[in-house]
Amino acid sequence: MTDALLPAAAQPLEKESDGYFRKGCNPLAQTGRSKLQNQRAALNQQILKAVRMRTGAENLLKVATNHKVREQVRLELSFVNSDLQMLKEELEGLNISVGVYQSTEEAFTVPLIPLGLKETKDVDFSVVLKDFILEHYSEDSYLYEDEIADLMDLRQACRTPSRDEAGVELLMSYFIQLGFVESRFFPPTRQMGILFTWYDSLTGVPVSQQNLLLEKASILFNIGALYTQIGTRCNRRTQAGLDGAVDAFQRAAGVLHHLKETFTHTPSYDMSPAMLSVLVKMMLAQAQENVFEKICLPGIRNEFFVLVKVAQEAAKVGEVYRQLHMAMSQAPVKENIPYSWASLVCVKAHHYAALAHYFAATLLIDHQLKPGADEDHQEKCLSQLYDHMPEGLTPLATLKSGHQRRQLGKSHLRRAVAHHEESVREASLCKKLRNIEVLQDVLSVAHERSRLKYAQHQDDDDLLNLIDAPDIISKTEQEVEIILPQFSKVTATDFFQKLGPLSVFSANKRWTPPRSVHFTAEEGDLGFTLRGNSPVQVHFLDPHCSAALAGAKEGDYIVSIQDVDCKWLTVSEVMKLLKACGRDGVEMKVVSLLDFTSSMHNKCATYSVGMQKTYSMICLAIDDDDKTDKTKKISKKLSFLSWGTDKNRVKSASTLCLPSVGVARPQVKKKLPSPFSLLNSDSSLY
């Protein structure tokens, strides 16, 4: 089975430049997985229809007063509930169709449980985003049609990701893009009117909200689900395949854990904190199972110390599955967990517990302590195999006594057979598990092996003389852990970066419409300084200069000069544009934040005669009794932006002046108030 059946073409179809679909997306795939996903989508629609009918019947039952009408509604409601239950059972059958997701290589292994992807409806961003661009950013929304189309294409591609790392990267890039979109177009104070609908992966029930958080949470869930499908697809007959499976399930657990910790109020059952906790446990349990398979892959040598290690590894897998089954059996999770999942988890808990007792029995029955053997090491290993030895037995005495070893070994075999019988019984009770042939084969072979070994050493008086085998301490050489998603490793470019730097041009900041400021430089002096980078701000504006009279204000952001977009330019680049204007008029567009106090940058760059001087902010504490300095007037005219050749003007523009000190200036024809006089004398910037 291939991951995709591609049409005949000269170039690989998955390249975005070919015009078919994005890398990591394959909507033309005709694999069993895609067919299964299509069946899930069709079932979701039927479940939605049944839920609406049930809601209507329940509402009618509440308001109806006629007895005959109420009886008829109750009858209809019973039919609808029955139909809905059948649809949910059919969806559950798809959820347990693990064979579709397993490796294409023939392997005699217990199947793993993958998660199905959440389905969604189409979303049209174009109208809402265009209106917001025009209203909030005061820009021509038709200039962003390509960006909006790219966003919608990316979302559509995420509905059919390929089952590989490229598919994961595709989903992650959309998740990062949603962060940009949220900052650009979704103010925290109001809804945008875009309805997102996602179907529950386990129940098929739809959830619709105008909140972008539902979209982000659902994409995160699908990233985790895709990792589970990658894990089940790995070839578990090879070391590399098992390593890949362990890594995939650990990453799936990390994504689902991140979802649980980050999005705490998701309305969908499959993304509730309780359900996500269970799913994280399930992914880690399957990763631990793959660790055990890695140890067994080269073959299990019939040696004392090897069997001790394998027995404890099997006990570890059995323990994590037993704990998982207990978590699945708790309310409210047990109402939505597929019965076949819970049954398979119970089967695995008994199966691996049986293997642990089988290996313990083998090391006791087949390995007698011989002269010259490392008694201390074997004694230590046997003592660490149990919490406590059975009453009347000690590790060293048991190793030396053939009778005690056989008796303890046979008690382990009896417990192994009991666990095997329970696993076979649990599998037979679930219709879905009965249809998984490889599972039935693995369980029957393991059961028969333990039964035959017990029959070889069984005595007539075993029922009376056998002691109770103690529990085996679970231990592993590789404790699996969650691997949190690493979004920083995925490169994603903001589709709407033309709007400007996100730190300034975002949805949570209110703007004035762009204003055109046409002014001329008087003898090379523009009358203001520049500060900040990307975008650049007007600072220290002379209120009597040409720019101020034309409408510029201190704190304005420069968005264009001579129709050249300046939102992403640095101070030096803006300076070059202003300098290029020469003595001609400057056509500059500026915007202002309505909350001016939060718009000022914390660094200032003053330009004079083409030379940059950057000064840090310095606060001067003035004594309270020094009130005379506050009333002193400073008569000066600073050259804020000058390219003139007059040395006196250059010296004046480059001189720092403290606001509390009077400085004599050459007389000028027109006295201008200093911009420093506008500052609070208690805390001055210079």
Side-chain angles (χ1 to χ4, degrees), residues 207 274 306 567 651:
V207 174
V306 172
K567 292 192 288 289
K651 183 177 180 180

Side-chain angles (χ1 to χ4, degrees), residues 337-468:
I337 283 286
Y339 173 70
S340 49
W341 284 12
S343 297
L344 183 57
V345 167
C346 184
V347 167
K348 289 189 176 186
H350 286 293
H351 174 68
Y352 286 103
L355 292 182
H357 285 288
Y358 173 80
F359 292 128
T362 302
L363 71 90
L364 287 168
I365 294 175
D366 294 356
H367 295 280
Q368 184 175 359
L369 187 60
K370 298 178 182 179
D374 191 348
E375 293 184 6
D376 293 338
H377 193 187
Q378 289 195 17
E379 180 186 7
K380 182 179 179 181
C381 285
L382 185 60
S383 62
Q384 292 178 350
L385 190 62
Y386 311 120
D387 275 330
H388 60 277
M389 291 291 292
E391 186 177 355
L393 299 181
T394 61
L396 184 58
T398 301
L399 290 173
K400 291 182 177 181
S401 173
H403 176 71
Q404 289 185 7
R405 286 190 296 101
R406 283 193 299 272
Q407 290 296 99
L408 184 56
K410 285 190 291 185
S411 66
H412 279 295
L413 284 175
R414 190 170 62 174
R415 287 197 64 177
V417 171
H419 278 298
H420 280 308
E421 290 175 348
E422 188 63 22
S423 66
V424 172
R425 188 185 70 84
E426 285 288 341
S428 65
L429 292 177
C430 180
K431 179 181 177 181
K432 304 300 180 183
L433 299 185
R434 289 200 302 267
N435 295 331
I436 303 178
E437 294 183 2
V438 65
L439 175 63
Q440 297 295 330
D441 293 340
V442 171
L443 296 180
S444 61
V445 168
H447 180 207
E448 185 67 14
R449 181 179 56 188
S450 296
R451 190 189 65 80
L452 288 176
K453 193 171 187 65
Y454 180 65
Q456 291 174 2
H457 300 87
Q458 186 177 14
D459 296 328
D460 294 337
D461 58 347
D462 279 349
L463 293 177
L464 298 176
N465 297 329
L466 282 184
I467 59 178
D468 291 332

Side-chain angles (χ1 to χ4, degrees), residues 461-515:
D461 58 347
D462 279 349
L463 293 177
L464 298 176
N465 297 329
L466 282 184
I467 59 178
D468 291 332
D471 292 332
I472 299 172
I473 295 178
S474 63
K475 186 178 180 181
T476 179
E477 64 178 15
Q478 182 181 346
E479 189 79 39
V480 296
E481 298 177 349
I482 62 175
I483 300 179
L484 294 176
Q486 298 174 330
F487 297 106
S488 59
K489 292 187 176 181
V490 178
T491 303
T493 304
D494 182 7
F495 286 158
F496 300 92
Q497 60 180 348
K498 287 194 304 184
L499 291 172
L502 192 56
S503 59
V504 176
F505 297 95
S506 60
N508 60 356
K509 295 185 179 180
R510 300 174 59 209
W511 294 94
T512 61
R515 307 188 310 276

Side-chain angles (χ1 to χ4, degrees), residues 36-53:
L36 187 63
Q37 203 66 26
N38 291 335
Q39 294 176 24
R40 289 170 56 85
L43 271 178
N44 286 334
Q45 295 296 328
Q46 297 180 45
I47 291 174
L48 174 59
K49 181 179 178 181
V51 168
R52 288 175 175 173
M53 292 179 63

Side-chain angles (χ1 to χ4, degrees), residues 15 59 202 238 240 293 312 337 367 380 394 397 408 412 418 439 457-458 566 568-569 586 606 650 675-676:
K15 291 184 178 179
N59 292 336
L202 303 178
T238 65
E293 292 176 338
Q312 292 188 313
I337 283 286
H367 295 280
K380 182 179 179 181
T394 61
L408 184 56
H412 279 295
L439 175 63
H457 300 87
Q458 186 177 14
C566 298
W568 283 98
L569 300 186
V586 179
T606 302
V650 172
F676 292 115

Side-chain angles (χ1 to χ4, degrees), residues 57-67 69-71 73:
E58 290 174 344
N59 292 336
L60 181 58
L61 186 62
K62 291 179 181 178
V63 300
T65 57
N66 186 280
H67 179 70
V69 173
R70 291 178 63 86
E71 288 297 324
V73 172

